[in-house]
Every structure is written in structure tokens, then in C-alpha cells.
Amino acid sequence: MLVLGIESSCDETAAAIINDKKEILGESLLSQKEHEAFGGVVPEIAARAHLEHIDEMIEDTLKMAKVKLEDLDAIAAVGGPGLIGGVVVGAMAGKALSLALNKPLVMVNHLEGHALAPRISNDVEFPYLLLLVSGGHCQILIVKDVGEYERLGTTIDDAAGEAFDKVAKMLCLGYPGGPIIEKMAATGNPDRFVLPRPLLRSGDCNMSFSGLKTAVRKLIESYSEDGSVEHCILNKEVTADICASFQVAVTDCLVKKLENAIEIFKEKYPEGKDVVVSGGVAANSFLRKALKDLSEKHGLIFAAPPLKYCTDNGVMIAWAGLERFRKGLVDDLDFKPRPRWPLDEKAAAQGAKA
Ligand code: KG4
Ligand code: ZN
């Protein structure tokens, strides 16, 4: 079984072909650089860049895989959630191929792409516990099956990746912030600044990062002569120490919330064995190590996608498309791309159009 996947929901234009033996036959990905100057993704610029490059990504993928369009069993394309201009580009490309080739269409929820991605590289079985941490989302879910999700907690304000990006912007480090902060943090002292851990003792699985971001802003301002964060006046050592202190604060919050979720998961699903982290922030090695230690402390197996498949990519869309397709979850050409699309929505298991 061969499935082509197309991703375009944020600032990566990507395509991939995967088979049911989990072999990635071809893949191509373009990370849009146009947004760096803005410290965040500009939706219209992203949509135009997707439009310009999507055909080339699909062609390169087919070439690399040595696969002809006729050989594909299904076409999977991102259907949301995300920046709608970009989602429309990928969804339309998928629909056009499906129509022209008369092949089944699977519209994939981008979050389901992240949620199922760890099953490509690891033998992760349902049900499993998932921490999904990206630039736009921050949730803890039980993955009961393809299309069946139970949400245990979510952020009440910023996503964890968004907090990394905003702190990097305040420190004038560039975009995306996560990898740069991780690199700076490696040389910094995480104990130098005591930053808040919002909702740490709330006892539930909800998260909050807005207060932490504000605390970092105040810290930066305290070093600035005119009290602003505009001039990027911090020296390298202070910057590294802020990055390290921030990274450990985010990690403490995520570890505590996942620990609360593990308790619920174990009680509801004593047969469950796996804890999984996915999404762009899952590429953070400091966080991965902390989550691995936590999982092992509770007798669970920890899994995460390889670093390059944590951030957005076409492989996860192709794989989620394949998992849905083999369960018979296909979509019609009238599927409307969705800027919002909660993963735990009831219709998820019945096919995306329902
Ligand atoms: O999953 P993703 O590629 O896009 C969304 O669906 O949002 O995640 C991108 C996010 C960005 O906020 C980026 O700063 C963050 O993931 N990220 C990281 C790391 N690599 C990417 N955050 C922390 N540490 C990293 N190494
Ligand atoms: Zn993503």
C-alpha cells in the first residue's frame, strides 16, 4: 500500500510517500525562510510560498520514490487545523490529484499527523498517552485508536512552542525560537534566574505559559537602561542563562502535567504501555530526556519521533493518511479545509467530512 502525503498548514511545504511497511520511499520539505525577519510566521507570505513550491515538492517526492502517480493507492493531504491560506493550497493539491487520478482522498488533521508519527519509528500500540507540543498546540491526550482521542488537558493561553518563539524574539535570537534557545541553553546556568511554573500545583493536566513569558520579559527589561526589550542589549552569558532558566521552567511544567496525566491514564487503561511526545517542541533534547525519565519512573515505555519528524513534515501526513485509509476513513472532494479542527471531536473516527 502506497500513500502520498501533502503538508502545508504552517511554514513547511512538504510531501512524502510511505508504504504500509513503514518505509519512507520519498520525501521533500521546504522550510520557508521568508518569516525569519518577522520573528513569526506571516500567513499571507506562507500561503504564497506554499503555492509556489507545492508542485515541485510533490514531483521531487515521486522522483525520489521512483513511484508513478498511477501506483499510489491513496492521496492524503492536510485538511487543517492551521493557517487557512496554506491549508487550502495543500488540500486543493490533494483534491486535484485525487480527482485526476480517480484515487481515494484522505483529508488529514495535522494534529493526527503529529499524534500517529511516533508509530512509524517505534512499536507504539493503542491506547497510548500523548503529549503534543508544537508552535500552535499544547495538549495531553489519550490516543485510543486512529481517529479516537480523549483530551486530558490543554494550554489555557500560549502553546509551549509559541512561548519558545516569543522568548527568542524578545532576546533577538531569530525564528523559530525553539532550536536556538535549546542551543543557547546548553551553555547557560538554569539556576541563575528563578522563573514561575504556572499552574504547577493545580492538580490537573492544563498548562499555561503566558505568565512565564511575561516574567522573562520583565527580566530582560530589568537589564535594559530604558526599561524596554527593544534593543537586545543583553550579553551572551545573561542570554544563555535566561534561555537555560526558561527551558527548565517549561520542562518542569510539562513533566508535572504529564505525570498527572499518567495517573489518569494508568487508572483508565491499565493495559496501556506507552508514553509519547510529538510536535515541534518534542525535538528538544532536554525535554525528551526529562520525559523519558518520567515515563520510566512510572514503568512506561517512552517514544518520540526522530528529531526531523517532530517538526512539521510530509511523512507524518502520509502515515496518518495511510492509517486512516486502511480503516476505510476516506473523504469526499467537498471537504472544507478547516482553520480549527479539534482532535477529540466526535466525528474524527467517522471520516473527516462527517
Ligand atoms: O510542529 P511544528 O513544526 O509546527 C506547528 O505545528 O506548530 O512546531 C514548531 C514549533 C516552533 O514553535 C518551534 O520553536 C518549536 O516547535 N521547536 C522547538 C525545537 N524545535 C522546534 N522548541 C523547543 N526546542 C526545540 N529544539
Ligand atoms: Zn505541527
Side-chain angles (χ1 to χ4, degrees):
M1 185 184 289
L2 277 182
V3 176
L4 168 73
I6 302 169
E7 160 61 28
S8 59
S9 65
C10 192
D11 56 344
E12 263 87 25
T13 317
I17 295 174
I18 198 163
N19 66 18
D20 49 352
K21 292 192 204 100
K22 304 182 175 183
E23 289 163 338
I24 299 159
L25 304 184
E27 58 182 308
S28 55
L29 180 143
L30 183 94
S31 275
Q32 301 172 1
K33 300 282 171 241
E34 293 89 330
H35 310 288
E36 273 169 19
F38 301 95
V41 181
V42 184
E44 181 62 16
I45 294 177
R48 290 179 191 204
H50 287 304
L51 199 56
E52 196 171 329
H53 297 291
I54 198 117
D55 292 352
E56 164 198 334
M57 291 299 114
I58 296 169
E59 277 166 21
D60 288 356
T61 299
L62 288 161
K63 245 187 241 160
M64 187 194 287
K66 298 195 175 66
V67 162
K68 292 200 193 69
L69 281 170
E70 304 83 82
D71 302 332
L72 294 168
D73 292 290
I75 312 292
V78 70
L83 303 174
I84 198 62
V87 174
V88 166
V89 172
M92 289 305 289
K95 285 183 183 186
L97 284 171
S98 160
L99 182 65
L101 300 164
N102 196 21
K103 304 268 183 194
L105 173 71
V106 187
M107 298 308 290
V108 173
N109 183 320
H110 176 87
L111 302 176
E112 184 156 52
H114 281 304
L116 300 177
R119 283 167 52 80
I120 306 173
S121 50
N122 296 68
D123 288 324
V124 177
E125 281 169 32
F126 303 116
Y128 57 90
L129 186 63
L130 165 71
L131 171 65
L132 202 167
V133 269
S134 72
H137 298 272
C138 193
Q139 302 174 1
I140 299 176
L141 301 127
I142 296 172
V143 185
K144 296 190 233 172
D145 201 341
V146 176
E148 285 184 43
Y149 299 87
E150 180 180 339
R151 190 163 57 179
L152 301 182
T154 184
T155 178
I156 59 168
D157 40 55
D158 293 349
E162 194 180 350
F164 270 94
D165 294 334
K166 286 180 176 167
V167 165
K169 190 174 180 185
M170 287 189 264
L171 290 167
C172 300
L173 294 175
Y175 177 86
I180 314 173
I181 289 191
E182 179 176 6
K183 204 163 159 217
M184 291 296 292
T187 63
N189 171 8
D191 301 320
R192 174 156 173 195
F193 302 111
V194 180
L195 293 168
R197 274 94 169 130
L199 300 184
L200 198 69
R201 270 170 264 283
S202 63
D204 59 11
C205 302
N206 287 330
M207 295 153 275
S208 162
F209 296 101
S210 154
L212 172 57
K213 180 189 67 190
T214 307
V216 173
R217 172 179 287 278
K218 288 196 173 134
L219 184 59
I220 298 171
E221 284 168 357
S222 73
Y223 277 89
S224 152
E225 273 173 22
D226 65 358
S228 85
V229 290
E230 300 300 321
H231 313 303
C232 306
I233 29 66
L234 303 186
N235 69 39
K236 217 170 164 193
E237 193 190 329
V238 176
T239 302
D241 292 346
I242 291 178
C243 289
S245 305
F246 168 76
Q247 182 176 261
V248 81
V250 173
T251 301
D252 281 355
C253 294
L254 294 175
V255 165
K256 180 67 189 157
K257 296 305 169 155
L258 195 60
E259 187 155 39
N260 293 347
I262 285 176
E263 259 179 48
I264 300 170
F265 177 59
K266 280 190 147 182
E267 206 174 301
K268 283 192 160 183
Y269 299 94
E271 75 279 21
K273 293 191 299 291
D274 301 286
V275 176
V276 156
V277 65
S278 183
V281 183
N284 187 288
S285 304
F286 184 81
L287 174 68
R288 284 166 92 102
K289 163 89 175 59
L291 297 176
K292 184 166 190 283
D293 291 348
L294 172 76
S295 308
E296 285 168 2
K297 181 175 127 191
H298 289 276
L300 296 167
I301 304 163
F302 174 75
L307 294 189
K308 76 172 198 174
Y309 297 128
C310 287
T311 44
D312 293 348
N313 62 84
V315 176
M316 69 183 198
I317 301 300
W319 177 251
L322 189 149
E323 292 233 51
R324 291 187 75 82
F325 177 59
R326 66 184 176 192
K327 281 196 84 184
L329 301 171
V330 294
D331 295 282
D332 289 338
L333 286 168
D334 64 1
F335 176 93
K336 253 200 198 118
R338 301 183 56 175
R340 290 188 185 282
W341 189 358
L343 202 42
D344 53 337
E345 196 172 79
K346 287 238 163 1
Q350 277 102 50
K353 91 180 168 76

